[in-house]
Structure formats: C-alpha cells, structure tokens
Amino acid sequence: MRARQRNRGWVAVLRALGLVASTALAVASASEPAPERIRYPQQEASPDRRSDYFLAVLELALSKSAAPFGAYQLMPADTGMQQARALESLLSQRHLDVVWTITSREREQQLLPIRIPLDKGLYGYRVLLIRTGDQHRFDRVRTLGDLASLTAGQGHDWPDTKILRANGLKVETNSRYSSSFEMLARARFDYFPRGVSEIGPELRQHPALSLAMEQRLLLYYPSAMYFFVNPQAQRLAARLQSGLETALADGSFDRLFHEHPAMQEALQLLRQPRRLLTLDNPLLPAETPLATARYWYRAPAPARQ
C-alpha cells in the first residue's frame, strides 16, 4: 500500500515536472525573436536558372551570419519582375529586401551596395550569342572597331547598354529580357553579349530558335555583381557583409564558386583560347575594390590572346 502511494507520488512529481518543462519551452519559444524575413526577386522569365548561383551565395551569407544576427527566412517575391521594377521596389521598400545586380555609379547613389563581387567579376567576361550560321561574320572581327559594324542587343535599363555605347558599339534595346532571344533569331540585331555564366543555360532554354555561341571572341570590362539593399536597411547590409567576409575567410565562398555547376561551366568557357577585346567601363564607381585580390577571378592567359 505504501509502495503504491510512493509510486503515485512520483508520478505526480514527474507530471508536474513535465508540465513545468513544457511551460518553460513554450515561454522560451515565445521569447525567441521571429526569423528575419528577407525577400528576393523572382526572375522575369521562367524557367530561368541564372539566379541559382546568386541565391546559393545569399543562402551562404545568411547562414554564415546566423550566430551574430539570428535566424532568417528567405522568401521570393510574389511575382517575377524586370530589373528596373525590382530596383524600384527595393528603393521604395515594397516587395523586396535584397537584389543582386551589376553595379554602377547611379545604382550606388540610390541604393546601398555590399561591395563584394558575388561571382568574382565573371559578369565582366562576355561571349556572344549569335544566329546559327553567322560565325563567318565574326571571324573577320579583330578589334572593337570591327565589331562596331555589327549591332548588339541589350535591355534598355541595363548598365551594359551604356558601357557598349561608350566604347563605340551599336546597340538595339528592348524592354524585356525574355524577348531578346526571339529578336536575335529574327535578325533585329546581330549578337547578344552574355555573361560566361549565362550563355550555356540560355542556349539550353531556347533550343528551337537556331541560336549558337560565337566561337572566337571574348569581351571584357571590369564589372561587379553585388547584393544591394535599401539605404535604410543598415542591419541587413551589415549582416550580408559579415556573412560574405566569413565565407571568404573560411573557404566556403570559394568552394561554392568553383563547385557550382553554373560557375564550372563559365570557368571552362574562359579556358578556351579566344581573342580578347577589352572595353572601358565609365560607369564603374571609384569605390569598387579592384585592388582586393581575393574578391576577383583572373582569367588564364590563353583567354587573353
């Protein structure tokens, strides 16, 4: 009898302790701050794999900054949007908290850049998307002056448009990235300069348009793809800066750069011997950290011949 009473007493104690523990966990959970919500842009076109690498870098930067800055929740914007609209949404603090895009003086005056090149400057290396059967037209190109006899296609709000024109090249613009490929196929312009990490996925996404990668030329201008946030989002900027610097220091940034399929394809393309045509970039801000070697990829010598 006494033994049964003692057992009942322990059961009561254990139940009480369980109740206390459950209550403590509930209080702790309630006291934990909600994860920081971070909204990023969907791509304008679907399917579009160009954002995969940059989203992976964003995940890496946020995870590396979790200890000092706390938990986070990444969310895509509700709809896809063109670059100009994405930047406007970021500036007005509607729909977006971060974008990744090529820097320019104008963009750095309006928005807050995190000045670590996300792709180590690969967006400055450009190959040409052309129509199948047009390679002979580019075989004759030796200089920028030769290339100026042909017309490039670009987005009307892209910094690249101003860069090409500043170097004496003819440019036909359009308002939608997704329409550029059909415009090229219909001979509205002669070539579409693409980043070395973009052209492979784009060719695979448009198999019916009879487009091809030009085989001899490589354009280059110094350029940087950054994360940008609203100027008032100082904490998010500090978090991204901290996460990227930590990833650079522990080697995880370079591992992602060299192991991601998009970057592997781009680096393989840069190893091919091509005629290098170097352009000036009058839009590059003076604050661009060109002297910080760990931020940049340097193309091997054969690509510069």
Side-chain angles (χ1 to χ4, degrees):
M1 184 70 175
R2 290 179 179 175
R4 285 198 298 270
Q5 289 176 341
R6 284 196 299 269
N7 287 338
R8 287 173 184 167
W10 278 113
V11 169
V13 170
L14 290 172
R15 285 177 176 170
L17 288 173
L19 179 61
V20 170
S22 299
T23 304
L25 286 173
V27 171
S29 298
S31 64
E32 289 178 1
E36 182 179 8
R37 185 183 66 170
I38 300 169
R39 299 164 298 176
Y40 63 89
Q42 288 191 43
Q43 290 296 305
E44 173 191 349
S46 181
D48 188 343
R49 311 308 303 180
R50 293 177 302 151
S51 64
D52 288 0
Y53 169 75
F54 299 103
L55 189 54
V57 177
L58 181 57
E59 287 266 18
L60 179 64
L62 293 172
S63 66
K64 291 293 180 179
S65 59
F69 288 91
Y72 64 91
Q73 180 185 14
L74 265 179
M75 298 176 60
D78 294 335
T79 60
M81 56 184 71
Q82 299 175 47
Q83 188 174 99
R85 183 186 167 200
L87 296 176
E88 289 171 3
S89 294
L90 186 64
L91 187 60
S92 62
Q93 294 185 295
R94 297 195 314 268
H95 312 302
L96 291 175
D97 300 296
V98 62
V99 300
W100 48 86
T101 191
I102 295 294
T103 194
S104 69
R105 289 198 302 271
E106 180 181 3
R107 288 177 176 177
E108 293 198 16
Q109 289 167 358
Q110 295 177 336
L111 299 166
L112 182 58
I114 291 81
R115 293 192 181 95
I116 297 178
L118 304 177
D119 64 347
K120 290 182 172 284
L122 287 197
Y123 256 60
Y125 292 95
R126 303 247 143 189
V127 288
L128 311 182
L129 192 61
I130 63 174
R131 289 180 291 277
T132 301
D134 271 7
Q135 180 62 48
H136 67 281
R137 302 180 67 194
F138 295 85
D139 288 340
R140 299 189 292 266
V141 174
R142 297 288 187 273
T143 66
L144 283 177
D146 297 334
L147 190 60
S149 65
L150 303 168
T151 301
Q154 292 281 274
H156 73 95
D157 58 345
W158 298 355
D160 312 87
T161 299
K162 294 180 180 179
I163 294 170
L164 295 177
R165 285 174 171 165
N167 285 270
L169 300 178
K170 292 187 290 187
V171 182
E172 177 78 19
T173 63
N174 65 88
S175 60
R176 294 187 66 85
Y177 158 81
S178 56
S179 67
S180 300
F181 303 93
E182 190 164 339
M183 291 176 67
L184 174 60
R186 292 182 176 181
R188 290 282 301 276
F189 44 80
D190 301 305
Y191 65 97
F192 188 17
R194 309 307 300 136
V196 289
S197 62
E198 297 176 305
I199 194 165
E202 290 172 337
L203 277 171
R204 291 189 289 273
Q205 289 164 15
H206 299 88
L209 290 181
S210 296
L211 302 178
M213 184 191 308
E214 197 281 328
Q215 296 297 308
R216 293 187 58 258
L217 302 174
L218 178 68
L219 307 186
Y220 172 72
Y221 44 87
S223 184
M225 176 77 74
Y226 292 151
F227 288 135
F228 283 85
V229 300
N230 186 280
Q232 297 181 21
Q234 297 287 333
R235 186 177 186 277
L236 178 55
R239 175 172 194 154
L240 293 172
Q241 181 82 29
S242 172
L244 290 172
E245 290 288 6
T246 299
L248 282 163
D250 68 16
S252 55
F253 185 103
D254 281 353
R255 283 194 297 275
L256 175 60
F257 176 77
H258 287 285
E259 293 174 5
H260 194 280
M263 295 298 108
Q264 287 184 334
E265 188 172 19
L267 295 175
Q268 182 61 38
L269 184 54
L270 281 177
R271 294 185 188 105
Q272 300 174 5
R274 289 173 173 268
R275 179 177 292 276
L276 183 72
L277 300 179
T278 301
L279 289 70
D280 294 326
N281 182 354
L283 309 184
L284 196 68
E287 297 84 357
T288 306
L290 295 173
T292 307
R294 70 180 184 278
Y295 287 172
W296 307 94
Y297 175 81
R298 303 300 181 188
R304 296 179 177 275
Q305 294 176 354

